[in-house]
Amino acid sequence: MKIGFLYQNIFGGTDLLLDRAQVWLAARGHICSSIDIQSSVDFYDIVILPTSGIPKLYDYKMAGFRFKKILIWSMGHGAFSQFMVNDNFLKKSPKIFNSILNLYLRNLMRNLISSNSLIFTDEVGLNYELDKLSIKFNGENDMVVPIAVEKRNVMSPDNHELESLRVAWLGRVSKDFKVRPLINLLELIHHNNRVGLNFSSFTVIGGGDGLSYLKEHLELEDFGLKTIFVEHVDYENLPSYLNKNFDLVFAMGTSAINSAASAVPTIIVNPRPFTALPDEGSYRWIFDSKGFSLGEFDFENTRPEQTNMTFDELVCSLKNSNLSAISIKSRKYAEVFLEDNVFPRLEKNIYDAKEIDTGARVFLIASCFWKLKSGLKSVLALFR
């Protein structure tokens, strides 16, 4: 089968996941390649894309690219509906407009589900979209294809001690929903160090558009904590680097699984918008996650419900824990996400996908609604 991959073209977990999927499927005999609008026009049996690629499909069709089927891989809590519409715009819109939009999204999602053209990385994201659009569906498990990590040599846990904790943040430092919980975490550690455990150092591993903001914030506020910045670690060296240098890693998404697979005690940090106010934090051990979720926004009625802790509760849990045992449990949990366990599910969905009968009109409408992020004038301009 000839499979095209539509990338975000932004460094991060999404494109790395698509890269690994492409390599794995090619090894299974499929003809795989990335799609670029500047490249030669081509035909594909199916195109795999994240939600951010939905508005691009119409442009590719108009440029002459052809594909029988699509498979949208929604990665993250609320990624499908939030990328399609702008919530701030909707708050200012007439109720009738919102009703029409919800009707469109409901019909679009039903169409994608009936054609097996939509999958999610976790049950929380899937249930959020189903509940938001009031869709009843009984085949949820078939629509979940979690984040995948490469199989590595099994690592033994290093000696992790509570007396002087070497802590790291692993992952992008982006302004959208990561830098705020990171700053909040540093502030909580600072206050804890006065009365609780001894966090001896904090290393930020990763780059992004929020890194300069984080550094400026740290210059203004003295947390009294040794903070180190490492913008890049070679992927091949990452497991041994984490295993030997850190007693705890805070992360979300793909980064959390990479940490856990390296036999490091790993704590999920839940995403928060840049405008969020400081709070008590929301954390959990990675092996306590349910439904493959690796971090959720603070939305109502999250399903399955996660067992999160405040920072103070996390400190109490740490005091009563054996970090070496936790590192083993973290590594064991990560095995569920290994490529050979995940990508066969992806391949099954590729074969099960059907052609969407609404054709290019769906993508034109999707593109129009996406343009709402730039304002209504951009939408109207499409029809002039």
Side-chain angles (χ1 to χ4, degrees):
M1 185 177 291
K2 192 167 185 177
I3 305 173
F5 286 80
L6 196 56
Y7 286 74
Q8 282 186 325
N9 294 321
I10 300 173
F11 178 78
T14 297
D15 282 2
L16 289 174
L17 178 58
L18 293 174
D19 262 340
R20 291 200 295 271
Q22 186 174 164
V23 171
W24 190 93
L25 289 166
R28 298 272 295 179
H30 298 284
I31 302 171
C32 301
S33 62
S34 58
I35 303 176
D36 191 301
I37 203 161
Q38 303 298 328
S39 59
S40 301
V41 172
D42 208 342
F43 168 84
Y44 298 92
D45 294 301
I46 190 168
V47 171
I48 299 174
L49 65 153
T51 49
S52 59
I54 294 174
K56 301 177 185 178
L57 283 172
Y58 180 74
D59 294 333
Y60 278 90
K61 275 186 172 287
M62 293 300 99
F65 288 83
R66 293 293 177 263
F67 33 88
K68 287 183 180 179
K69 303 179 289 185
I70 64 169
L71 184 60
I72 299 169
W73 203 351
S74 182
M75 305 178 188
H77 193 184
F80 178 77
S81 58
Q82 286 185 17
F83 193 85
M84 297 290 289
V85 297
N86 185 298
D87 287 339
N88 291 329
F89 181 89
L90 291 180
K91 290 177 182 177
K92 303 174 184 177
S93 303
K95 289 184 178 180
I96 184 65
F97 181 85
N98 292 350
S99 299
I100 294 171
L101 179 58
N102 281 330
L103 179 62
Y104 160 72
L105 287 176
R106 190 179 301 119
N107 288 333
L108 172 60
M109 189 168 179
R110 282 175 175 164
N111 185 290
L112 292 172
I113 291 174
S114 64
S115 60
N116 297 319
S117 300
L118 178 62
I119 55 177
F120 292 80
T121 52
D122 58 78
E123 293 177 17
V124 169
L126 169 60
N127 290 329
Y128 173 81
E129 303 296 351
L130 293 175
D131 293 346
K132 185 173 184 178
L133 298 174
S134 301
I135 295 176
K136 302 296 182 183
F137 179 66
N138 296 322
E140 289 94 338
N141 289 336
D142 293 334
M143 292 180 64
V144 175
V145 180
I147 290 170
V149 293
E150 187 178 357
K151 186 176 183 178
R152 300 296 185 91
N153 293 330
V154 177
M155 301 188 68
S156 299
D158 199 9
N159 291 323
H160 302 292
E161 301 293 341
L162 284 171
E163 283 74 16
S164 182
L165 290 167
R166 302 162 299 166
V167 183
W169 163 280
L170 179 63
R172 283 188 301 116
V173 185
S174 55
K175 277 189 175 181
D176 48 8
F177 55 81
K178 294 190 176 184
V179 72
R180 180 54 56 193
L182 174 51
I183 290 175
N184 197 56
L185 173 62
L186 284 165
E187 291 175 345
L188 290 168
I189 288 176
H190 169 60
H191 293 302
N192 169 84
N193 267 356
R194 297 175 180 172
V195 295
L197 295 171
N198 177 26
F199 292 85
S200 61
S201 64
F202 193 100
T203 302
V204 178
I205 308 168
D209 60 5
L211 189 60
S212 59
Y213 177 84
L214 172 63
K215 291 181 178 179
E216 290 172 5
H217 187 88
L218 293 178
E219 287 178 1
L220 293 174
E221 294 193 35
D222 181 15
F223 288 154
L225 177 67
K226 181 182 179 182
T227 307
I228 304 162
F229 293 93
V230 178
E231 292 194 38
H232 178 77
V233 176
D234 185 78
Y235 186 71
E236 294 299 318
N237 297 327
L238 184 62
S240 60
Y241 173 73
L242 294 175
N243 187 270
K244 299 297 181 184
N245 291 290
F246 302 104
D247 303 301
L248 285 176
V249 169
F250 289 83
M252 62 180 77
T254 308
S255 297
I257 289 297
N258 283 323
S259 169
S262 304
V264 179
T266 302
I267 298 166
I268 294 291
V269 181
N270 285 313
R272 291 292 181 268
F274 183 73
T275 55
L277 297 174
D279 57 25
E280 297 177 324
S282 180
Y283 311 98
R284 68 175 175 271
W285 294 111
I286 191 170
F287 46 78
D288 287 332
S289 295
K290 301 179 181 68
F292 303 104
S293 184
L294 300 170
E296 315 82 39
F297 285 100
D298 188 21
F299 298 149
E300 293 182 359
N301 302 321
T302 297
R303 295 191 297 121
E305 187 176 356
Q306 307 295 323
T307 309
N308 293 317
M309 301 177 282
T310 66
F311 188 80
D312 287 344
E313 290 169 339
L314 174 62
V315 169
C316 289
S317 176
L318 277 167
K319 289 179 177 179
N320 297 309
S321 298
N322 181 308
L323 286 184
S324 294
I326 287 178
S327 66
I328 294 173
K329 290 178 70 175
S330 297
R331 184 183 64 193
K332 186 70 176 176
Y333 177 78
E335 292 176 2
V336 177
F337 294 81
L338 293 178
E339 290 179 353
D340 288 341
N341 294 328
V342 171
F343 288 148
R345 301 170 71 149
L346 176 64
E347 187 178 36
K348 180 182 183 300
N349 277 276
I350 289 171
Y351 283 119
D352 289 346
K354 306 169 187 174
E355 292 187 47
I356 298 178
D357 53 20
T358 48
R361 287 175 296 170
V362 168
F363 308 124
L364 173 60
I365 298 172
S367 181
C368 292
F369 280 119
W370 182 75
K371 296 284 185 180
L372 290 176
K373 293 189 175 184
S374 302
L376 186 58
K377 291 182 179 179
S378 298
V379 182
L380 297 176
L382 291 171
F383 297 96
R384 290 174 183 167

